[in-house]
């Protein structure tokens, strides 16, 4: 696009990410499993009373999250060299993205990730990368201070 060049692998990562996000949304919003997950997260006692095995749901969602983390690691290793704490930077950025986007909806963390990712990618073009990273976190903290519900306030889980 214009003067921006994206390698084939990075383009593959973008496509796989969009497909996985769409599949996750459909899984959580359009299936009975997603309904049980949302019920368990919203009100565990009522979900148990309704016959939902909350320990099974917790275990399944943990396994699903671990599988997504494994997929992310497998996709990112060819871009960055492999070392023990490779994911720490992404973990911190992910946490900040969720806080900025807002908890309680699917689109909130996605919007937060888009904003944090855009700032993290664009600011190093106009200033030092270290200063840009610090500025992104300072802006995120200031935003959370004045709007603690995030960009998109969820109505519940």
């Amino acid at each position: 696009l214009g003067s921006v060049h994206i390698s084939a692998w990075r383009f593959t990562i973008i496509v796989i990410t969009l497909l996985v996000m769409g599949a996750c949304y459909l899984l959580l919003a359009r299936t009975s499993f997603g309904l049980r997950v949302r019920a368990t997260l919203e009100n565990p006692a009522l979900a148990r009373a309704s016959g939902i095995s909350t320990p099974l749901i917790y275990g399944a969602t943990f396994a699903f999250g671990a599988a997504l983390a494994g997929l992310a690691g497998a996709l990112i290793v060819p871009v960055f060299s492999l070392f023990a704490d490779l994911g720490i930077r992404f973990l911190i950025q992910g946490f900040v993205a969720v806080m900025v986007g807002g908890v309680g909806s699917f689109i909130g963390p996605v919007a937060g990730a888009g904003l944090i990712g855009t700032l993290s990618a664009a600011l190093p073009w106009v200033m030092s990368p270290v200063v840009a990273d610090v500025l992104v976190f300072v802006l995120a903290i200031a935003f959370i201070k004045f709007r603690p519900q995030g960009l998109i306030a969820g109505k519940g889980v």
Side-chain angles (χ1 to χ4, degrees):
L1 298 171
S3 64
V4 177
H5 300 283
I6 299 175
S7 70
W9 185 251
R10 286 183 189 253
F11 183 73
T12 302
I13 291 173
I14 291 169
V15 170
I16 291 173
T17 300
L18 291 174
L19 290 173
V20 169
M21 280 179 22
C24 287
Y25 175 77
L26 291 175
L27 176 72
L28 293 174
R30 307 280 186 216
T31 66
S32 63
F33 174 73
L35 181 63
R36 289 192 302 261
V37 167
R38 289 180 284 132
T40 300
L41 292 175
E42 185 72 33
N43 192 337
L46 184 59
R48 272 191 305 278
S50 300
I52 297 172
S53 173
T54 55
L56 186 65
I57 294 294
Y58 289 141
T61 54
F62 180 82
F64 186 68
L68 288 176
L71 175 64
L75 291 173
I76 205 69
V77 163
V79 177
F80 296 91
S81 40
L82 181 61
F83 52 95
D85 59 349
L86 171 65
I88 296 298
R89 177 175 187 220
F90 303 111
L91 179 69
I92 293 168
Q93 284 182 330
F95 177 74
V96 170
V98 168
M99 295 307 296
V100 167
V103 179
S105 70
F106 187 86
I107 195 68
V110 173
L115 180 64
I116 296 297
T118 300
L119 287 174
S120 294
L123 286 178
W125 287 68
V126 295
M127 62 182 63
S128 162
V130 174
V131 173
D133 279 346
V134 171
L135 182 60
V136 167
F137 289 119
V138 167
L139 290 172
I141 290 168
F143 180 80
I144 293 167
K145 171 72 176 154
F146 294 108
R147 189 169 165 89
Q149 70 271 22
L151 286 172
I152 300 172
K155 299 177 198 126
V157 181

